[in-house]
Amino acid sequence: MRQKLVAGNWKMNGSLGLVNAFCDRFQNANFNSDVLIIPPFLYVPELVANKSESLRVGVQNLSSHKSGAYTGEISLSMAEEFQVDYALYGHSERREYFGETDDLVSDKIKLAVTDSKIKPILCVGETLSERESDNAFVVVERQVKAIFDKLTSGELTNIVIAYEPVWAIGTGLTATPAQAQEMHAFIRQQVATYDENAADTIKLLYGGSVNAGNAETLFKQKDIDGALVGGASLKVEEFFEICKLAG
Ligand code: PGA
C-alpha cells in the first residue's frame, strides 16, 4: 500500500498571515496521508518555525547548480538548511514561462538525488492541443523518459511524479477520474519498463483543479497516490478537507 501524499502548491501566492493560518489549523491534525505545503521561498522559514511535526515543507523550484554566480537562484543545500523535504521540478508554468526543458529538469533532479535528501517531484502533463491531437501519451512518455536517461534505477525510487494535464491547471477543468487513472497507469508502466520495484513504490500524484468536491473519486483510483493542489491549497478549510479525504 502506497501512503497518499497531498501537496499544496501555492505558486506566487500567499502571505505570512496565510502561513500562520495553515500552521494553526494543521497544528493537531492527524492524517494517515503525508501533507506537504509548497509556499514561495520567502515563507519557508516562517512555515518551518511554526508548523507541526507532521507537516512537510516543499519548494517550487531549485537550481541545477550547487552554488556560484547564478543570480536569483536557490540551491539544494540552502533548502536543506531550512528542513525542506520536497522540491517541485518541471512544473508546466516553469516549462512554459521560464523555458525549462526536459533536459534541464532531469539535470536538476539528478543533482537532487545525488547531492541531497530532498525528494524531487517531477511534474509532467500534456497541453490541450497535444491531447486533442492524440499526443498526450507521447508527450508524457517523453517527459518521464527524460529522467530515465540520467537516473539509476535506485535513484528513481526516490522521486515522486505528478501528472498535471496543462489544460486542467487553474481552469476548473479536471481530468475525469478515468482519464487520470489511464495516464497514471501508463506512467507506472513506463517506470516498470525501467525498474519493476520502483513502479510498485513510486508515488504518482494527480494535479489540475483538484478540490474538495472531486478529490475523493480521484483518490479512489488505483494508480493515484495523492494530489498536487494549486488554487484550492490557498483555502485553509478546503485544503484541510482534501487532506482528510486522502485518509
Ligand atoms: P490548480 O493547480 O489546482 O490550481 O489547477 C495545480 C498545479 O498547478 O499544481
Side-chain angles (χ1 to χ4, degrees):
M1 238 336 233
R2 294 177 294 269
Q3 190 172 32
K4 293 229 173 354
L5 171 64
V6 181
N9 172 16
W10 287 11
K11 311 190 179 188
M12 200 173 72
N13 296 299
S15 61
L16 283 175
L18 193 67
V19 172
N20 286 307
F22 269 84
C23 289
D24 288 349
R25 184 65 178 102
F26 283 76
Q27 208 52 250
N28 298 311
N30 222 338
F31 302 114
N32 291 323
S33 47
D34 285 329
V35 177
L36 167 63
I37 307 271
I38 312 175
F41 286 114
L42 286 172
Y43 297 136
V44 166
E46 184 78 3
L47 179 59
V48 169
N50 297 301
K51 73 179 187 63
S52 64
E53 270 282 290
S54 61
L55 214 54
R56 302 268 150 260
V57 178
V59 291
Q60 299 170 15
N61 175 41
L62 286 171
S63 176
S64 59
H65 301 282
K66 286 189 185 184
S67 65
Y70 301 102
T71 300
E73 292 286 274
I74 306 269
S75 74
L76 282 155
S77 64
M78 293 168 189
E80 279 195 306
E81 280 193 290
F82 286 91
Q83 295 157 46
V84 167
D85 309 289
Y86 289 86
L88 293 181
Y89 287 101
H91 188 281
S92 65
E93 288 148 18
R94 301 290 319 165
R95 292 178 191 259
E96 185 180 350
Y97 307 131
F98 303 96
E100 295 205 1
T101 59
D102 285 338
D103 210 37
L104 176 68
V105 170
S106 43
D107 278 345
K108 287 181 171 191
I109 292 180
K110 178 71 181 178
L111 189 66
V113 297
T114 49
D115 219 52
S116 81
K117 292 198 168 57
I118 291 178
K119 264 184 172 285
I121 302 178
L122 166 69
C123 302
V124 299
E126 80 286 357
T127 62
L128 186 58
S129 65
E130 288 162 344
R131 178 155 284 261
E132 285 176 346
S133 60
D134 261 348
N135 280 315
F137 291 87
V138 177
V139 169
V140 170
E141 181 176 353
R142 190 202 71 222
Q143 293 171 333
V144 170
K145 284 203 167 152
I147 59 164
F148 296 172
D149 293 341
K150 306 227 167 115
L151 301 194
T152 64
S153 55
E155 289 166 348
L156 196 60
T157 57
N158 288 324
I159 72 159
V160 173
I161 299 178
Y163 168 59
E164 300 201 302
V166 179
W167 48 272
I169 296 179
T171 57
L173 296 171
T174 323
T176 63
Q179 277 174 324
Q181 165 56 29
E182 187 185 25
M183 187 60 88
H184 280 233
F186 175 75
I187 294 171
R188 203 176 294 287
Q189 203 186 325
Q190 297 305 309
V191 175
T193 61
Y194 193 66
D195 181 344
E196 292 267 352
N197 293 333
D200 275 345
T201 55
I202 197 164
K203 280 184 197 176
L204 305 181
L205 311 184
Y206 171 77
S209 298
V210 174
N211 58 42
N214 59 27
E216 194 170 13
T217 30
L218 288 162
F219 290 151
K220 282 195 178 130
Q221 306 305 307
K222 181 168 164 279
D223 289 295
I224 297 185
D225 307 313
L228 181 53
V229 186
S233 76
L234 295 164
K235 300 173 193 153
V236 183
E237 280 314 316
E238 181 159 17
F239 190 64
F240 193 88
E241 185 60 28
I242 296 170
C243 296
K244 266 205 315 212
L245 293 168

